[in-house]
């Protein structure tokens, strides 16, 4: 009886650990350098009105993640395999786009890590990017990589929230006005919503937590309530971090400090943190940006390489680990060879992944409507399907309208 009791406790602990790791893998993958740069830029441009953009993006993110996590859990399949089972060869197209989008994002993440170490300790951004990428390679080469990644994601996720909260208290933002504008906006800027949705659930980010749960065996109808709850908590963590970052920068803007967002090498978040706390603010920004970047390097590499399964059915965990290391190394080499300014690269990375989002979401929403056979006959919630269709239409429209602008970002 005692053995049965202890095994039940161990099962519950493992289940909880799997859910927490999926939540933070998704959240820290979303909270990358692009996320920080975009949030700072739009806060400076729109002031308190950007609060509504954040709220709208959280609602859209919620619908996207709920649909994708739910379908992956119910079908017990990798996303590219799900797509292939629904529309022949679409899984290969999705996999290529996710891997390429993940590579672009990872180049931006390594660039962000370089910027972070530059602000933290004054290291040249190229050297900072190289050291950070090599650290990620070391983590993936470890035999205990899986558990270490889980702990790292949780630790750095909490660190970013705590440090940004510290800056909020130092910058004294107009919280009441911000909350009012969040719910009753005086101005709605659709371009800002488009950009931050792409940077929060675009490309590989949509699948990060779902594939982590798949790897951990947290799938099937019996786990659907846990999966749904984990998806919601992941979005809450991302939304909380974005709103705290928004308040931190808003306090600086509201105090009358001018922040440059238009010059070639502008780094608005860095300027805001330095204005709030001087030299300490700059170092804190560096640490937050580096933590956001290194966790995003790991998240992008891990999730992108879960999409190589359709091309090699018999791939082992060790082989996938090796492929992940090569993926990071290729990202680093391209970053070191490119002459593009890191900030513009970060904006492009988020935008490109925003273009990938509607394709995968369309397939997943279609499965919810028409392919109950792939989900053991599960009765998919109609409210989630209807909201999924609306978000699908919005993301296609936003992607089509912004494609030219996104590729111009690299010039």
């Amino acid at each position: 009886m005692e053995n049965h009791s202890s095994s039940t406790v161990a099962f519950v602990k493992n289940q909880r650990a799997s859910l927490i790791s999926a939540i933070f893998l998704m959240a820290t993958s979303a909270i990358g350098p692009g996320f920080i740069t975009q949030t700072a830029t739009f806060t400076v441009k729109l002031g308190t009105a950007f609060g509504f953009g954040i709220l709208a993006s959280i609602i859209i993110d919620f619908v996207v993640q709920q649909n994708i996590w739910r379908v992956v859990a119910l079908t017990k399949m990798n996303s590219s395999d799900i797509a292939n089972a629904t529309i022949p060869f679409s899984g290969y197209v999705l996999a290529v786009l996710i891997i390429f989008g993940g590579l672009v994002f990872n180049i931006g993440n390594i660039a962000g890590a370089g910027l972070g170490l530059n602000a933290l300790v004054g290291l040249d951004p190229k050297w900072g990017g190289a050291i950070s990428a090599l650290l990620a390679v070391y983590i993936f080469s470890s035999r205990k990589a899986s558990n270490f990644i889980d702990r790292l994601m949780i630790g750095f996720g909490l660190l970013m929230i705590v440090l940004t909260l510290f800056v909020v208290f130092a910058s004294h933002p107009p919280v009441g006005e911000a909350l009012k504008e969040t719910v009753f906006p005086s101005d709605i800027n659709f371009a800002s919503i488009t950009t931050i949705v792409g940077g929060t659930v675009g490309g590989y980010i949509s699948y990060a937590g779902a594939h982590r749960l798949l790897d951990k065996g947290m799938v099937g109808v019996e786990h659907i309530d846990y999966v749904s709850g984990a998806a919601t908590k992941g979005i809450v963590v991302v939304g909380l971090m974005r709103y705290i970052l928004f308040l931190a920068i808003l306090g600086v803007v509201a105090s009358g400090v001018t922040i440059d967002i238009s010059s070639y090498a502008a780094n608005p978040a860095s300027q805001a943190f330095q204005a709030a706390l001087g030299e300490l603010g700059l170092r804190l920004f560096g640490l937050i940006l580096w933590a956001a970047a290194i966790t995003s390097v790991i998240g992008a590499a891990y999730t992108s390489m879960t999409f190589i399964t359709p091309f090699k059915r018999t791939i082992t965990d060790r082989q996938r680990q090796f492929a992940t290391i090569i993926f990071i190394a290729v990202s680093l080499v391209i970053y070191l060879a490119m002459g593009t300014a890191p900030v513009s690269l970060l904006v492009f990375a988020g935008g490109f992944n925003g273009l990938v989002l509607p394709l995968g979401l369309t397939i997943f929403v279609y499965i919810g409507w028409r392919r109950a056979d792939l989900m053991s006959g599960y009765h998919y919630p109609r409210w989630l399907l209807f909201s999924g269709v609306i978000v699908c239409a919005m993301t296609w429209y936003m992607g089509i309208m912004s494609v030219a602008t996104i590729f111009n970002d690299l010039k």
Side-chain angles (χ1 to χ4, degrees):
M1 188 74 182
E2 195 174 317
N3 266 345
H4 176 71
S5 174
S6 60
S7 64
T8 303
V9 169
F11 172 76
V12 171
K13 274 188 177 176
N14 286 336
Q15 190 178 60
R16 190 181 298 126
S18 298
L19 289 170
I20 292 171
S21 68
I23 289 165
F24 275 91
L25 181 70
M26 177 262 148
T28 51
S29 293
I31 303 168
F35 173 103
I36 291 170
T37 304
Q38 292 161 8
T39 303
T41 302
F42 286 119
T43 303
V44 173
K45 277 185 180 177
L46 305 172
T48 53
F50 183 48
F52 176 78
I54 295 173
L55 178 62
S57 75
I58 290 169
I59 293 167
I60 294 170
D61 296 350
F62 171 79
V63 173
V64 171
Q65 295 286 43
Q66 281 290 346
N67 276 292
I68 290 175
W69 286 41
R70 192 175 292 258
V71 171
V72 168
L74 290 167
T75 58
K76 305 178 186 178
M77 287 193 284
N78 182 291
S79 295
S80 45
D81 291 333
I82 296 169
N84 275 336
T86 310
I87 304 167
F89 302 109
S90 65
Y92 295 107
V93 175
L94 183 64
V96 168
L97 286 173
I98 294 289
I99 292 169
F100 177 71
L103 183 68
V104 174
F105 224 122
N106 228 25
I107 296 163
N109 290 332
I110 292 171
L115 285 175
L117 285 182
N118 176 256
L120 181 63
V121 294
L123 195 64
D124 179 272
K126 295 278 186 185
W127 277 107
I131 290 167
S132 302
L134 292 173
L135 175 62
V137 165
Y138 172 74
I139 289 166
F140 275 107
S141 63
S142 164
R143 291 200 174 271
K144 295 182 177 177
S146 181
N147 288 335
F148 187 71
I149 288 167
D150 290 345
R151 291 194 190 100
L152 189 76
M153 294 299 192
I154 294 166
F156 275 160
L158 294 173
L159 177 71
M160 284 186 279
I161 290 172
V162 169
L163 290 180
T164 312
L165 260 177
F166 178 64
V167 182
V168 170
F169 287 114
S171 70
H172 306 293
V175 177
E177 182 65 22
L179 290 172
K180 177 174 163 285
E181 287 279 334
T182 300
V183 183
F184 303 108
S186 56
D187 177 42
I188 297 175
N189 186 292
F190 288 105
S192 67
I193 298 170
T194 305
T195 306
I196 63 175
V197 166
T200 308
V201 288
Y204 75 91
I205 299 168
S206 308
Y207 308 94
H211 282 192
R212 193 64 176 156
L213 287 178
L214 188 65
D215 278 354
K216 299 273 188 179
M218 285 287 292
V219 290
V221 177
E222 67 275 17
H223 287 124
I224 200 64
D225 289 340
Y226 295 108
V227 171
S228 176
T232 301
K233 290 182 182 78
I235 290 299
V236 167
V237 171
V238 174
L240 181 67
M241 178 61 186
R242 180 156 255 150
Y243 207 81
I244 291 170
L245 184 61
F246 157 65
L247 289 176
I249 294 160
L250 182 64
V252 174
V253 173
S255 71
V257 173
T258 302
I259 293 177
D260 172 26
I261 58 170
S262 57
S263 70
Y264 186 67
N267 195 334
S270 170
Q271 296 168 56
F273 276 52
Q274 194 166 10
L277 286 167
E279 188 72 13
L280 174 62
L282 181 65
R283 304 297 176 215
L284 280 181
F285 165 77
L287 182 55
I288 291 168
L289 185 65
W290 182 78
I294 194 71
T295 51
S296 291
V297 167
I298 292 165
Y302 165 81
T303 309
S304 298
M305 289 301 95
T306 62
F307 277 86
I308 63 174
T309 309
F311 303 103
K312 187 173 177 15
R313 291 274 162 214
T314 56
I315 193 165
T316 64
D317 287 344
R318 196 69 186 157
Q319 287 170 333
R320 200 168 77 179
Q321 203 173 12
F322 185 63
T324 307
I325 290 168
I326 292 173
F327 182 84
I328 296 170
V330 170
S331 306
L332 174 61
V333 169
I334 296 172
Y335 162 64
L336 292 174
M338 284 181 79
T340 307
V343 171
S344 64
L345 192 63
L346 295 175
V347 175
F348 171 77
F352 180 85
N353 281 280
L355 299 178
V356 179
L357 172 62
L359 174 66
L361 184 59
T362 301
I363 294 169
F364 277 69
V365 171
Y366 172 77
I367 291 166
W369 277 109
R370 309 295 300 172
R371 297 302 304 269
D373 57 307
L374 292 176
M375 301 182 290
S376 309
Y378 175 77
H379 184 68
Y380 210 92
R382 283 293 176 260
W383 69 268
L384 193 52
L385 286 175
F386 282 115
S387 56
V389 169
I390 294 167
V391 170
C392 257
M394 286 171 63
T395 53
W396 275 114
Y397 174 76
M398 292 188 299
I400 291 165
M401 293 302 290
S402 58
V403 63
T405 307
I406 287 163
F407 280 92
N408 281 336
D409 282 330
L410 271 187
K411 290 181 181 176

